[in-house]
């Protein structure tokens, strides 16, 4: 409703996520197609519209600055250009630049559909290149992933094209519709293996999981209405188990040990003769090169076993 902003639901959701140590994306500040504007927005005159756009960005980004990993700044610009048509193409640059000023720690995304699930990839690459030419600060590429059938090799070709933009790619909205849960499981695994293995892909976000609230219905769910984890959900869990490294290691006489692990954030439980157990948290970055993590036990124990 014009002039009325109620963030109570979003605030409660974000507080819960932070308490659970879940990372959160900001989706979305603006939506480019006219059909997704609040019903009172298209009828505004240009001066009032510009003021409302500024109020929206300033209020939203300032409210959540420092709490989101990413912002989808102006969603689905391939599918619509409401703000650019009404306020001029420079509004796109202003949206990104002002978001950067208000929340400098967040990565700024473009985000669109049918760029890995269908054939809009070349258009998307060309569009982002145009944004580059206009010096618009795009940090990362959001590719929605709403599938029925999954051809993993077509996905690879499209991801390779997006990777030419030289930015990290996130599959921001993944789901797959198959009436048979076993077919759904096969399609999910085919996509996840291809996307997870691609060096440009940094993350995959599920766009729903429970049959009772999935936007594409129960044929896209990983969890049935009665909360039974179905075949697709079991396949997802199996992949997460496969890509989770758990190792028991023992150091040599020089205090060294090694392991080949998946990248991610790890908890190391350290025991030494005559000393209590201590816990260290550390991130292992992506890449094939060896990474060295040094744990100084003297410092660790002197700091009362706090996380380093």
């Amino acid at each position: 409703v014009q002039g009325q902003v109620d963030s109570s639901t979003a605030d409660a959701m974000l507080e819960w996520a932070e308490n659970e140590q879940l990372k959160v994306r900001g989706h979305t500040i603006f939506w480019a197609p006219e059909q997704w504007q609040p019903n009172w927005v298209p009828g505004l005159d240009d001066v009032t519209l510009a003021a409302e756009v500024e109020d929206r960005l300033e209020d939203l980004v300032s409210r959540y600055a420092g709490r989101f990993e990413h912002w989808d700044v102006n969603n689905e610009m391939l599918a619509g250009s409401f703000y650019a048509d009404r306020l001029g193409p420079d509004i796109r640059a202003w949206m990104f630049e002002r978001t950067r000023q208000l929340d400098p720690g967040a990565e700024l995304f473009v985000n669109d559909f049918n760029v890995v699930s269908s054939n809009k990839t070349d258009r998307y690459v060309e569009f982002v290149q145009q944004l580059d030419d206009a010096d618009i600060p795009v940090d990362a590429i959001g590719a929605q992933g709403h599938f029925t059938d999954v051809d993993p090799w077509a996905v690879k070709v499209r991801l390779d094209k997006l990777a030419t933009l030289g930015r990290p790619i996130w599959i921001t909205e993944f789901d797959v519709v198959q009436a048979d849960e076993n077919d759904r499981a096969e399609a999910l695994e085919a996509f996840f293996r291809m996307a997870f293995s691609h060096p440009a892909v940094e993350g995959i976000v599920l766009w729903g999981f429970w049959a009772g609230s999935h936007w594409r219905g129960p044929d896209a769910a990983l969890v049935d209405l009665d909360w039974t984890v179905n075949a697709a959900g079991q396949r997802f869990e199996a992949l997460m188990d496969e890509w989770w490294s758990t190792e028991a290691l023992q150091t040599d006489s020089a205090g060294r040990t090694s392991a080949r692990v998946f990248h991610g954030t790890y908890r190391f439980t350290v025991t030494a003769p005559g000393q209590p157990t201590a816990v260290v948290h550390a991130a292992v970055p992506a890449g094939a090169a060896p990474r060295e993590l040094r744990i100084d036990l003297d410092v660790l124990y002197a700091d009362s076993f706090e996380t380093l």
Side-chain angles (χ1 to χ4, degrees), residues 150 174 176 183-193 206 222 232-233 235-237 239:
V150 174
F174 175 77
V176 58
D183 293 339
R184 201 181 316 151
E186 291 294 319
L188 180 147
E189 180 173 357
F191 178 80
F192 262 71
R193 286 196 182 280
L206 290 174
L222 309 187
R235 191 70 59 88
F236 172 81
E237 289 182 330
L239 289 170

Side-chain angles (χ1 to χ4, degrees), residues 173-175 205-211 213-215 220-223:
E173 307 178 16
F174 175 77
D175 49 47
V205 181
L206 290 174
W207 210 237
F209 64 92
W210 180 49
S213 65
H214 203 297
W215 80 290
L222 309 187
V223 179

Side-chain angles (χ1 to χ4, degrees), residues 36 100 158 218:
W36 302 122
R100 169 75 83 232
R158 292 163 183 158

Side-chain angles (χ1 to χ4, degrees), residues 125-190:
V125 171
E126 292 171 5
F127 182 75
V128 175
Q129 289 171 337
Q130 292 170 9
L131 299 181
D132 285 345
D133 292 341
D135 294 325
I136 295 175
V138 176
D139 297 320
I141 308 300
Q144 299 174 25
H146 303 301
F147 287 86
T148 49
D149 296 320
V150 174
D151 178 348
W153 300 108
V155 169
K156 180 184 183 302
V157 169
R158 292 163 183 158
L159 289 173
D160 287 346
K161 289 181 177 180
L162 295 179
T164 63
L165 295 167
R167 293 172 176 81
I169 299 167
W170 277 68
I171 309 303
T172 52
E173 307 178 16
F174 175 77
D175 49 47
V176 58
V177 173
Q178 286 285 338
D180 185 293
E181 64 182 64
N182 293 297
D183 293 339
R184 201 181 316 151
E186 291 294 319
L188 180 147
E189 180 173 357

